[in-house]
């Protein structure tokens, strides 16, 4: 091998890189690794990388210090290897401690482990020492994980009968036999077939009272073994750039270390790997970030979260592949975020959100936040307003998280009454994008008639996804052939009672969830001063303590009444008979009923639902209903009806048919209960009342939906589309001086260096959580957001490249998280599946499991961006709502 005096720094780097790569896959038990001080190693890395860093120097202190030492812009060549700072002072009075490693050394901070071939080459070039060699052993519970045993077991031996002391350093895998007072030892490896004997170093003390009885044993990388534990010292004392040059130590590239699953902690492992492999964070936490910790921030965690994360990041970036146990970090996480305690499965995006926010507060450089109030735009130029909002935000929030992940979007609110426009510019740390690719929503309601013309019938319609109740009513009207003298009354049913009437046509359909139950009632249009008669069904059910009792069931019927017209108990009986007539069993129909206007002929023709067949027209007028109803009452006994009056007293309607019923001027509904006895159920078939379908019944995705991918650009456009606010987020209009349901439009204004995109795969309702298995076709390279940024004064293209993503496989109860990571240094993708790390092809990165995407800005030259270039987002002004 040629002398390094003949090599340039770049050539020297390539030689070591090639040697390291050649030994990467050959590490086995018994191989030798050499300790080298981190201080010298870092100097050498800076020296061989000076050609690279001169082009893109980030101004870090380590580079500046070395340049100053060199006295010029050229990095000086390191002198000979000096490992003396890893060892106790050679002049120590304690002879037993000479040639001993310091007890608290931490790999990656104090020293680096180099494969034998790499050490030999560096020693050939630079010389120095002392030489500190250690062996690779099998470790872990299964004895199948390779690790370098840095700290040997140090035993103090008391030699009898002279009382002298001796110290022995041995591997924890070795059995020691002390033979008499000669202090010779037979060394045998556990499990060795040949029981090979070798000599070990015995240090005899000059004084019987001298020496130390301490013993240290440990396995490199995971910091622990059954014999002891290596305790790390405070974070932030030395920069850790191993791997930055492509040089591998211990036979593997830095950053390829897995995390042990502690039990349903794959969500945490996936999120952590994405964050620690964000290059800006990896560089920051491997430098001295401790001065930036905000110890007094009441919104932070007294720096403890930042320190715990920094320590874990350094372990994951240290050379080697022995999986790290994240238990200390999880314990700290559970302390500050109890929602993540225990061993239940959680959402990786929710954890990422907490970590980004928590790290920001722990590292906020602003120690005393000023009170600042941003003004509304009031016609000022957008750029002026945006810069004002951003300056105010930075004055209170300034951290590495803000530097890397913080963006800004423009929010425009428009009052639907006075037209007042309010523009604000708000920060964001990630974007949560909806996955639905269409603008329509499927909704199922059940149609009831008040004139007895049809049985209750399910009706499925398509409505604008971000529409209002008027859109739903219009769709049902068309599907069910609503007549000119009829209208529809929409109601939400819960617990067999009507919880609310949806009469306001501007109510957002987003307030109606997929697991809600809707009923719509066809009623006469011309009824004035309306009050609604609600017929609530009850049947006998056994109660645990008091025997039988009447319990509500099924779906209420509704019929309109007019306060202007007198109504008697007999009228109520007639109305109820009319509404129930389609449910009369055939054997209970009289011959005259078959030809009457109240026959079941029309009612039974619409069982298949109004989406396929139209509900039959009603032919009975209000007078005919009353007249026919009264004639039936003469022939039949009164129905067991009870009316609840304004004093919540039940009034029996089976007697006194001519007695008038008082309707309060303040009431909007009259409750009438019908008690379905077994005898009555023999006459009527109430099955159509009992199973009110959900608005949207969740089931396995169809083959078609599984095979149709949607574009990430489509998801972004849906996120940016104009939408009305939900009622819970009403906006106070400063011009109207009232709460208004304004429309809202979002636009991207300022994009961060790292753009985190959350794909909203999980939808929630009151009883369960659903997952969308939609395949999103997201770009790995050249994710172009230029036309999606409303700030058009910038001439640079907004290009991003994917470097990490968190995946979720399976369903909600038995799902599993992994991470795909691209190491920028070697331009290769890896799959991080808890403790297992393996290479993957770039084409395998995309899948329907993608959940959280991490993009880095691509440095581009200024390009001409046409002012006329508009995304399809800017031309969509429909009132739409994010899902």
């Amino acid at each position: 091998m040629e002398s390094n005096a003949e090599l340039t720094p770049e050539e020297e780097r390539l030689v070591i890189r090639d040697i390291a790569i050649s030994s990467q896959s050959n590490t086995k038990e018994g191989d030798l690794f050499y300790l080298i001080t981190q201080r010298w190693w870092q100097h050498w890395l800076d020296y061989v990388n000076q050609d690279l860093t001169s082009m893109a120097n980030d101004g870090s202190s380590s580079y500046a210090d070395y340049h100053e030492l060199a006295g010029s812009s050229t990095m000086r060549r390191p002198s000979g290897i000096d490992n003396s700072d890893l060892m106790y002072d050679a002049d120590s009075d304690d002879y037993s401690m000479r040639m001993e490693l310091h007890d608290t050394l931490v790999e990656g901070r104090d020293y680096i482990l180099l494969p034998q071939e790499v050490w030999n080459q560096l020693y050939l070039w630079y010389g120095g020492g002392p030489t500190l060699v250690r062996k690779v052993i099998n470790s872990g519970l299964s004895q199948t994980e390779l690790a370098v045993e840095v700290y040997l077991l140090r035993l103090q031996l008391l030699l009898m009968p002279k009382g002298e002391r001796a110290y022995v350093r041995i591997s924890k895998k070795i059995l020691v036999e002390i033979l008499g007072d000669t202090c010779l030892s037979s060394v045998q490896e556990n499990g060795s077939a040949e029981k090979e004997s070798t000599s070990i170093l015995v240090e005899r003390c000059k004084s019987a009272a001298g020496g130390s009885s301490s013993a240290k044993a440990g396995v490199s990388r995971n910091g622990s073994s059954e014999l002891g534990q290596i305790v790390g010292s405070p974070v932030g004392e030395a920069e850790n750039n191993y791997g930055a040059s492509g040089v591998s130590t211990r036979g593997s590239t830095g950053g390829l270390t897995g995390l042990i699953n502690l039990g349903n902690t794959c969500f945490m492992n996936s999120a952590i790997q994405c964050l620690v492999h964000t290059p800006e964070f990896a560089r920051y936490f491997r430098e001295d970030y401790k001065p930036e910790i905000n110890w007094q921030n009441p919104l932070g965690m007294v720096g403890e979260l930042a320190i715990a994360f920094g320590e874990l990041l350094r372990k994951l970036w240290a050379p080697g592949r022995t999986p790290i146990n994240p238990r200390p970090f999880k314990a700290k996480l559970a302390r500050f975020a109890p929602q993540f305690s225990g061993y239940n499965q959680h959402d990786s995006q929710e954890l990422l959100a907490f970590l980004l926010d928590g790290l920001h507060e722990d590292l906020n450089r602003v120690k005393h936040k000023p009170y600042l109030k941003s003004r509304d735009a009031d016609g000022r130029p957008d750029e002026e307003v945006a810069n004002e909002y951003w300056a105010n935000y930075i004055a209170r929030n300034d951290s590495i998280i803000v530097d890397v992940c913080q963006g800004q979007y423009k929010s425009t609110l428009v009052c639907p009454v006075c037209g007042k426009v309010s523009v604000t510019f708000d920060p964001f740390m990630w974007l949560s994008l909806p996955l639905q690719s269409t603008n329509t929503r499927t909704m199922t309601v059940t149609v009831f008639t008040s004139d007895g013309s049809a049985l209750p019938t399910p009706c499925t319609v398509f409505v604008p996804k971000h529409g209002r109740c008027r859109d739903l009513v219009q769709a049902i009207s068309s599907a069910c052939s609503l007549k000119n003298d009829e209208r529809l009354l929409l109601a939400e049913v819960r617990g067999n009672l009507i919880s609310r009437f949806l009469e306001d046509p501007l109510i957002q359909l987003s307030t109606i969830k997929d697991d809600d139950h809707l009923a719509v009632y066809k009623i006469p249009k011309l009824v004035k001063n309306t009050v609604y008669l609600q017929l609530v069904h009850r049947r006998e059910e056994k109660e645990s303590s008091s025997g039988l009792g009447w319990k509500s069931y099924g779906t209420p019927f509704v019929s309109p009444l007019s306060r202007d017209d007198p109504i008697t108990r007999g009228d109520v009986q007639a109305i109820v008979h009319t509404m129930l007539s389609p449910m009369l069993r055939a054997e209970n129909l009289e011959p005259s009923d078959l030809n009457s206007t109240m026959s079941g002929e029309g009612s039974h023709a619409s069982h298949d639902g109004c989406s396929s067949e139209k509900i039959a027209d009603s032919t009975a007028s209000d007078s005919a209903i009353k007249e026919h109803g009264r004639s039936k009452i003469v022939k039949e006994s009164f129905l067991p009806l009870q009316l609840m009056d304004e004093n919540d007293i039940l009034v029996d309607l089976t007697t006194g048919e001519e007695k008038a019923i008082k309707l309060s001027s303040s009431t909007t509904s009259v409750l009438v209960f019908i008690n379905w006895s077994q005898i009555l159920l023999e006459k009527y078939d109430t099955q159509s009342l009992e199973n009110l379908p959900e608005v949207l019944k969740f089931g396995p995705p169809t083959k078609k939906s599984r095979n149709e991918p949607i574009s990430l650009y489509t998801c972004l456009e849906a996120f940016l589309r104009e939408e009305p606010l939900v009622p819970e987020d009403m906006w106070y209009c400063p011009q109207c001086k009232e709460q208004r349901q304004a429309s809202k439009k979002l636009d991207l204004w300022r994009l961060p260096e790292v753009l985190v995109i959350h794909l909203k795969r999980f939808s929630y309702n009151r009883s369960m959580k659903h997952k969308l298995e939609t395949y999103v076709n997201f770009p790995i390279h050249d994710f172009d957001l230029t036309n999606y940024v409303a700030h058009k004064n910038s001439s640079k293209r907004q290009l991003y490249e994917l470097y990490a993503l968190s995946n979720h496989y399976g369903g909600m109860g038995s799902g599993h998280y992994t991470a795909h990571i691209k190491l920028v240094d070697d331009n290769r993708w890896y799959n991080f599946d808890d403790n297992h790390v393996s290479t993957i092809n770039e084409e395998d990165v995309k899948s329907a499991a993608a959940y959280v995407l991490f993009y880095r800005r691509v440095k581009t030259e200024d390009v001409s961006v046409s002012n006329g270039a508009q995304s399809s987002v800017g031309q969509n002004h429909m009132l739409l709502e994010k899902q």
Side-chain angles (χ1 to χ4, degrees):
M1 177 63 66
E2 58 187 328
S3 169
N4 71 326
E6 302 173 10
L7 299 178
T8 67
E10 172 65 6
E11 290 171 338
E12 195 170 320
R13 181 183 73 85
L14 294 176
V15 169
I16 295 297
R17 185 200 63 181
D18 293 341
I19 294 174
I21 291 176
S22 67
S23 61
Q24 179 171 349
S25 60
N26 299 324
T27 303
K28 60 185 180 300
E29 185 180 14
D31 284 354
L32 299 181
F33 277 74
Y34 290 72
L35 279 75
I36 189 170
T37 175
Q38 163 67 23
R39 175 182 51 80
W40 190 95
W41 175 252
Q42 186 61 57
H43 189 174
W44 181 82
L45 280 180
D46 294 339
Y47 169 70
V48 298
N49 281 303
Q50 59 183 304
D51 292 338
L52 299 177
T53 57
S54 63
M55 295 183 291
N57 194 343
D58 62 358
S60 63
S61 59
S62 60
Y63 292 113
D65 291 344
Y66 283 126
H67 287 177
E68 183 177 352
L69 289 172
S72 69
S73 59
T74 302
M75 181 73 65
R76 67 178 177 130
R77 178 178 176 272
S79 56
I81 298 171
D82 182 7
N83 282 335
S84 59
D85 56 350
L86 301 180
M87 310 181 69
Y88 282 98
D89 188 356
D91 297 327
S92 172
D93 292 334
D94 185 353
Y95 181 82
S96 67
M97 297 305 294
R98 298 179 187 179
M99 296 299 293
E100 287 284 346
L101 293 177
H102 282 289
D103 289 342
T104 57
L105 298 180
V106 176
E107 183 186 3
R109 187 196 68 189
D110 302 308
Y111 68 90
I112 295 296
L113 286 168
L114 301 178
Q116 183 175 15
E117 299 83 354
V118 174
W119 166 265
N120 289 342
Q121 186 61 56
L122 288 174
Y123 187 80
L124 176 64
W125 287 340
Y126 293 93
T131 300
L132 303 172
V133 61
R134 294 294 185 266
K135 279 188 177 183
V136 174
I137 64 170
N138 284 326
S139 66
L141 295 177
S142 61
Q143 291 292 298
T144 59
E145 298 173 0
L146 295 179
V148 179
E149 190 176 35
V150 174
Y151 284 97
L152 300 175
L153 181 62
R154 183 170 178 269
L155 300 178
Q156 175 182 272
L157 307 179
L158 181 62
L159 305 180
M160 300 301 290
K162 297 182 180 180
E164 293 183 333
R165 298 174 186 268
Y167 295 88
V168 181
R169 290 192 299 272
I170 62 173
S171 169
K172 68 175 184 176
K173 297 175 67 66
I174 292 174
L175 176 65
V176 179
E177 299 177 359
I178 304 300
L179 305 177
D181 62 356
T182 62
C183 290
L184 296 177
S185 60
S186 174
V187 183
Q188 300 175 336
E189 288 211 14
N190 291 335
S192 172
E194 300 179 3
K195 303 217 177 262
E196 177 184 358
S197 297
T198 61
S199 62
I200 61 173
L201 174 65
V202 179
E203 297 174 351
R204 186 183 301 274
C205 294
K206 295 182 179 179
S207 168
S212 168
S213 62
S214 65
K216 281 285 181 179
V219 178
S220 165
R221 293 289 295 111
N222 62 8
S224 65
S225 74
E226 61 271 16
L227 298 177
Q229 183 173 357
I230 302 172
V231 181
S233 57
V235 176
E237 295 180 4
E239 182 181 0
N240 192 354
N241 276 338
Y242 29 80
S245 64
V247 175
S248 301
T249 60
R250 290 186 51 192
S252 64
T253 302
L256 295 179
T257 302
L259 286 165
I260 295 173
N261 192 322
L262 305 177
N264 279 332
T265 57
C266 57
F267 79 97
M268 180 181 75
N269 295 347
S270 173
I272 288 174
Q273 293 289 9
C274 290
L275 288 182
V276 302
H277 286 90
T278 297
E280 292 81 358
F281 295 157
R283 182 166 55 248
Y284 176 86
F285 283 99
R286 288 151 70 189
E287 296 174 354
D288 186 7
Y289 64 92
K290 196 171 183 180
E292 292 200 339
I293 292 180
N294 192 329
W295 306 101
Q296 290 81 34
N297 188 356
L299 301 178
M301 280 139 273
V302 205
E304 292 189 36
L305 181 65
I307 290 175
F309 179 79
E311 288 180 343
L312 183 58
L313 181 145
R314 287 178 174 227
K315 291 178 181 178
L316 290 172
W317 272 101
R321 291 198 181 187
T322 302
I324 298 296
N325 188 329
R327 193 177 302 278
F329 179 82
K330 187 181 185 301
K332 196 72 69 176
L333 181 67
R335 176 184 172 191
F336 293 108
Q339 66 268 31
F340 298 116
S341 61
Y343 296 95
N344 293 325
Q345 185 67 276
H346 294 281
D347 191 319
S348 68
Q349 188 274 332
E350 292 176 359
L351 176 62
L352 282 166
F354 169 79
L355 289 178
L356 288 173
D357 185 65
L359 291 172
H360 159 66
E361 296 297 351
D362 265 5
L363 299 168
N364 196 345
R365 304 176 185 112
V366 180
K367 303 302 188 283
H368 304 285
K369 295 185 178 183
Y371 175 76
L372 299 168
K373 186 176 181 180
S374 297
R375 299 178 296 152
D376 194 35
D378 289 331
R380 292 184 292 156
D382 282 349
E383 189 168 3
E384 175 187 335
V385 180
N387 290 338
E388 177 185 294
Y389 271 82
W390 187 254
N392 289 347
Y393 180 79
I394 295 299
R396 295 172 55 84
N397 302 274
D398 183 15
S399 70
I400 181 63
I401 307 299
V402 173
D403 297 343
V404 176
C405 296
Q406 202 81 63
Q408 187 183 35
Y409 61 78
K410 175 184 176 183
S411 175
T412 305
L413 294 171
V414 180
C415 177
V417 177
C418 70
K420 165 68 177 177
V421 177
S422 174
V423 177
T424 59
F425 291 82
D426 302 311
F428 69 85
M429 206 170 286
W430 61 85
L431 299 178
S432 291
L433 305 186
L435 295 192
Q436 286 78 3
S437 60
T438 65
N439 295 326
T440 59
R441 176 186 181 187
T442 301
M443 300 186 74
T444 298
V445 299
T446 302
V447 180
F448 293 78
T449 63
S450 62
D451 59 6
S453 61
L455 284 170
T457 309
C459 182
T460 300
V461 294
F462 293 94
V463 295
K465 183 186 300 181
H466 309 289
R468 303 176 186 267
C469 278
R470 64 189 177 197
D471 300 309
L472 178 58
V473 170
Q474 181 178 356
I476 300 171
S477 300
S478 175
C480 299
S481 300
L482 195 71
K483 299 197 310 185
N484 291 334
D485 59 350
E486 291 178 323
R487 68 183 181 93
L488 296 180
L489 176 65
L490 191 62
E492 183 179 341
V493 178
R494 291 186 185 177
N496 309 116
L497 298 173
I498 293 176
S499 62
R500 61 170 175 162
F501 287 110
L502 304 172
E503 294 187 275
D504 184 353
L506 297 181
I507 291 177
Q508 290 295 314
L509 293 181
S510 61
T511 65
I512 303 172
K513 307 305 180 186
D514 287 337
D515 61 341
D516 285 342
H517 299 267
L518 295 184
V520 65
Y521 301 93
K522 294 173 66 173
I523 59 177
K525 184 185 291 186
L526 301 178
V527 177
K528 303 293 185 182
N529 202 6
T530 305
V531 60
Y532 298 117
L533 183 153
Q534 296 184 36
L535 180 65
V536 179
H537 309 277
R538 301 197 302 186
R539 62 185 173 189
E540 280 188 309
E541 291 186 8
K542 187 174 182 180
E543 296 182 347
S544 57
S545 58
S546 56
L548 293 177
W550 292 103
K551 298 284 187 179
S552 61
Y553 83 105
T555 306
F557 280 166
V558 173
S559 182
L561 304 175
S562 175
R563 290 191 184 89
D564 299 334
D565 298 332
I567 186 168
T568 65
R569 296 181 182 181
D571 293 334
V572 173
Q573 285 278 350
I575 292 170
V576 173
H577 268 288
T578 299
M579 290 191 292
L580 297 180
S581 61
M583 296 190 300
L584 269 173
R585 298 183 188 274
E587 58 270 22
N588 294 298
L589 291 173
E590 297 185 12
S592 59
D593 291 331
L594 298 176
N595 298 319
S596 71
T597 59
M598 303 306 300
S599 71
E601 180 177 288
S603 66
H604 295 286
S606 57
H607 278 250
D608 292 335
C610 67
S611 59
S612 57
E613 296 186 17
K614 307 296 184 181
I615 294 180
D617 293 341
S618 171
T619 58
S621 64
D622 290 343
S623 60
I625 293 173
K626 280 192 176 184
E627 192 64 31
H628 178 77
R630 286 186 182 277
S631 67
K632 289 185 70 67
I633 293 173
V634 173
K635 301 174 186 176
E636 301 177 4
S637 61
F638 283 96
L639 292 169
L641 305 179
Q642 293 176 305
L643 181 144
M644 182 175 287
D645 65 12
E646 57 186 356
N647 298 317
D648 293 340
I649 297 175
L650 292 177
V651 178
D652 186 4
L653 299 184
T654 60
T655 60
E657 65 174 312
E658 299 300 330
K659 285 188 177 181
I661 295 175
K662 288 183 60 178
L663 299 177
S664 171
S665 59
S666 61
T667 188
T668 58
S669 293
V670 175
L671 289 182
V672 175
F673 298 93
I674 178 170
N675 296 331
W676 289 95
S677 64
Q678 282 300 119
I679 296 177
L680 195 59
L681 287 173
E682 293 176 0
K683 296 182 179 180
Y684 290 87
D685 183 358
T686 64
Q687 185 176 358
S688 59
L689 303 177
E690 299 184 22
N691 298 310
L692 193 65
E694 296 178 353
V695 169
L696 177 61
K697 182 67 175 178
F698 277 95
T702 63
K703 183 177 180 181
K704 180 179 179 182
S705 65
R706 287 196 301 266
N707 293 339
E708 290 186 355
I710 62 174
S711 166
L712 184 60
Y713 292 105
T714 301
C715 299
L716 180 61
E717 291 170 6
F719 172 78
L720 298 175
R721 197 173 286 128
E722 186 177 0
E723 63 174 13
L725 295 174
V726 296
E728 293 81 4
D729 296 331
M730 296 283 276
W731 172 65
Y732 180 79
C733 177
Q735 193 161 292
C736 295
K737 308 295 184 185
E738 290 186 24
Q739 297 287 333
R740 298 296 188 194
Q741 192 175 10
S743 62
K744 183 177 183 179
K745 174 74 172 69
L746 296 180
D747 291 291
L748 299 178
W749 186 266
R750 189 189 309 263
L751 294 179
E753 290 301 308
V754 168
L755 180 62
V756 181
I757 295 180
H758 164 225
L759 302 177
K760 297 177 70 173
R761 292 199 175 277
F762 302 122
S763 60
Y764 302 84
N765 57 44
R766 284 180 292 272
S767 58
M768 61 195 308
K769 187 176 180 181
H770 304 283
K771 182 186 176 186
L772 298 173
E773 298 286 353
T774 309
Y775 179 90
V776 178
N777 187 9
F778 52 89
I780 295 178
H781 306 283
D782 297 330
F783 182 32
D784 193 348
L785 297 177
T786 307
N787 290 335
Y788 293 87
V789 178
H791 186 200
K792 299 301 182 184
N793 290 342
S794 174
S795 60
K796 290 186 177 180
R797 293 184 65 188
Q798 304 290 337
L799 291 180
Y800 284 82
E801 181 168 318
L802 188 75
Y803 71 91
L805 63 156
S806 175
N807 301 303
H808 181 270
Y809 298 91
M812 297 309 305
S814 58
H816 180 62
Y817 286 93
T818 67
H820 291 337
I821 307 290
K822 180 180 182 180
L823 289 193
V824 178
D825 295 329
D826 62 0
N827 195 32
R828 190 181 302 175
W829 281 94
Y830 295 87
N831 177 49
F832 287 74
D833 187 354
D834 289 329
N835 62 322
H836 182 70
V837 180
S838 59
T839 59
I840 57 171
N841 296 323
E842 184 172 276
E843 55 266 27
D844 297 327
V845 169
K846 293 185 181 183
S847 75
Y851 183 41
V852 184
L853 310 175
F854 289 74
Y855 283 93
R856 286 189 75 204
R857 186 192 298 276
V858 177
K859 305 301 181 183
T860 59
E861 299 293 330
D862 288 1
V863 294
S864 176
V865 179
S866 171
N867 292 331
Q870 300 291 332
S871 70
S872 58
V873 181
Q875 300 169 5
N876 289 331
H877 296 286
M878 299 173 60
L879 296 179
L880 301 174
E881 187 246 351
K882 286 189 280 291
Q883 294 294 307

